[in-house]
Amino acid sequence: MNTYLVGGAVRDKLLGLPVKDRDWVVVGSSPEEMIEQNFTPVGKDFPVFLHPKTAEEYALARTERKTAAGYTGFQFHADKNVTLEDDILRRDLTINALVEDENGKVIDYVNGLADIENKILRHVSPAFKEDPVRILRIARFAARFSTLGFTVADETMKLMSEMVKEGEVDSLVAERVWQETVRALAEPSPDVFIEVLRECGALKVLFPEIDRLFGVPQPVEHHPEIDTGVHTMMVLQQSCILSDDPVVRFAALTHDLGKGTTPKDILPHHYDHEERGFYLVKELCERYRIPNEFRQLAEITSRYHTHVHRAFEVKAKTLLKVLNNTDAFRRPERFEQFLLACTADSHGRPGYEDYDYQQAPFFSLARKTAADVDVQEIIKEGYSGEKIKEELYKRRLNALKCLRESVEQT
């Protein structure tokens, strides 16, 4: 029985990055022997065990064979005769297929060291085609390592495109697509995740609402970049500068989905794209069973981001409408997330990256001003039932009118 450190831990050590999780492969053992040594079995489809002291994962060396379409159609084989090389050759990327022995020596069967040196994301073998999840994983690794200069190998991109054409991506289940997507949103460059999926054709299959944005024109006086897809990627980039929260980044990614369905006869204008986008966000989130915190922020961002852009133009009544409809008084933290997404939208244009977007702090001040109206004072004055709500609305509106006037004077 021999154990080897494998995968991401070895890769990240070589890249000089922090090692978060360590995975091990065990050669020359069996499930019975692992249990005898007090390892806890956790794998359902193949033998994976938790170390009795460290709780790190130890997997028996295994091979796999494609038996059906999709990412679940595999038959796994693990016994003492499976070699380390057999196990490594089934892995996805060469940089993830590096092994370190107990002496710290790196074992490289697939030229992973050269690909780390040359900053290439390359598939290990043609068996890559058998698992469509690997398309999402490559796109996610590209989002993680693009800041280090990594790019996807041409032959790997070609292989991914073939997989899309052969329908492999169609078999991906909603939970797995979202799992990889939300992890990509937390990476340094989630826009690269989208670009890689688009280049191989998977974006059109998985996220047609986003894919159709590319090539759609916008008014050049407001959008020097013109292309809505390009704008969306720039907004996503700006959201990463403003926040590391994937919830905010998802709202930035989906804020303009309605522009993809704008009637051609009114282009490059996009009247009512906010409302169309709201329903597209809703459908997208239902399709992938996206958690409520992502869905809710994305919905209000789609519907109300242009209201924030016009903060200094709209009347106090509209300010209060936005605050009420975004549930800003009960959910102030979410409202601040919403304003971050709006700021990213404003900054996501050439020449506007450092624009002093005062609309966001103004709306934040408007929320505080209206929230400071004392409900208890209204109750003490004898109001009850629906009259409390009516009076609260009037006083909040008056407070916002005063704020509006003070801003106009300054």
Side-chain angles (χ1 to χ4, degrees), residues 42-82:
V42 293
K44 295 180 180 180
D45 298 321
F46 46 83
V48 176
F49 303 83
L50 298 182
H51 191 280
K53 294 182 179 179
T54 67
E56 293 176 337
E57 288 192 358
Y58 284 66
L60 293 181
R62 65 186 187 269
T63 58
E64 59 190 36
R65 183 169 61 87
K66 183 77 168 176
T67 57
Y71 77 97
T72 59
F74 290 93
Q75 185 178 77
F76 298 95
H77 172 70
D79 64 29
K80 292 185 177 183
N81 295 318
V82 177

Side-chain angles (χ1 to χ4, degrees), residues 126-328:
F128 179 95
K129 287 186 67 174
E130 298 177 350
D131 186 358
V133 171
R134 289 176 168 176
I135 291 178
L136 293 167
R137 280 174 55 82
I138 286 238
R140 176 165 59 80
F141 281 119
R144 179 183 301 178
F145 294 128
S146 67
T147 54
L148 299 180
F150 278 82
T151 58
V152 179
D154 291 342
E155 62 268 32
T156 301
M157 185 64 73
K158 180 181 178 182
L159 198 63
M160 292 160 61
S161 299
E162 292 173 359
M163 293 169 68
V164 173
K165 291 176 182 177
E166 292 167 5
E168 279 287 331
V169 174
D170 300 354
S171 63
L172 287 171
V173 297
E175 292 83 358
R176 198 59 194 272
V177 173
W178 175 244
Q179 181 185 57
E180 293 294 331
T181 301
V182 74
R183 292 176 72 181
L185 287 170
E187 301 290 3
S189 304
D191 54 299
V192 175
F193 174 78
I194 299 297
E195 293 287 8
V196 170
L197 293 182
R198 180 169 176 253
E199 185 174 347
C200 72
L203 189 66
K204 188 173 184 178
V205 178
L206 299 174
F207 299 105
E209 302 92 343
I210 299 172
D211 184 76
R212 70 168 67 104
L213 296 176
F214 291 90
V216 176
Q218 303 168 107
V220 68
E221 60 269 26
H222 300 300
H223 289 279
E225 75 285 355
I226 300 177
D227 190 294
T228 305
V230 173
H231 167 62
T232 299
M233 294 300 94
M234 295 182 71
V235 174
L236 184 53
Q237 291 166 2
Q238 289 298 318
S239 74
C240 294
I241 296 172
L242 295 168
S243 173
D244 59 3
D245 187 350
V247 179
V248 173
R249 295 178 179 190
F250 180 71
L253 174 63
T254 57
H255 80 284
D256 262 351
L257 293 187
K259 290 183 177 179
T261 59
T262 298
K264 292 183 178 180
D265 60 341
I266 67 171
L267 291 174
H269 301 287
H270 294 275
Y271 307 122
D272 299 323
H273 77 276
E274 303 91 342
E275 197 68 13
R276 293 196 307 275
F278 171 85
Y279 290 104
L280 288 170
V281 168
K282 195 177 188 69
E283 291 171 6
L284 171 62
C285 291
E286 288 176 354
R287 185 166 78 246
Y288 287 116
R289 300 165 195 166
I290 294 174
N292 282 339
E293 61 176 332
F294 288 86
R295 176 179 61 80
Q296 291 169 358
L297 183 62
E299 286 178 351
I300 64 174
T301 301
S302 176
R303 185 171 257 174
Y304 295 109
H305 66 278
T306 56
H307 286 73
V308 178
H309 296 337
R310 298 194 301 270
F312 299 118
E313 305 166 26
V314 298
K315 296 180 180 180
K317 188 175 182 180
T318 301
L319 291 177
L320 186 54
K321 173 186 174 183
V322 173
L323 292 171
N324 283 327
N325 290 356
T326 58
D327 206 8

Side-chain angles (χ1 to χ4, degrees), residues 368-376 378 391-392 395-397 399:
K368 184 179 184 306
T369 300
D372 283 344
V373 174
D374 193 343
V375 179
Q376 294 303 316
I378 295 174
E391 186 64 20
L392 177 63
R395 296 189 186 188
R396 282 177 168 172
L397 183 59

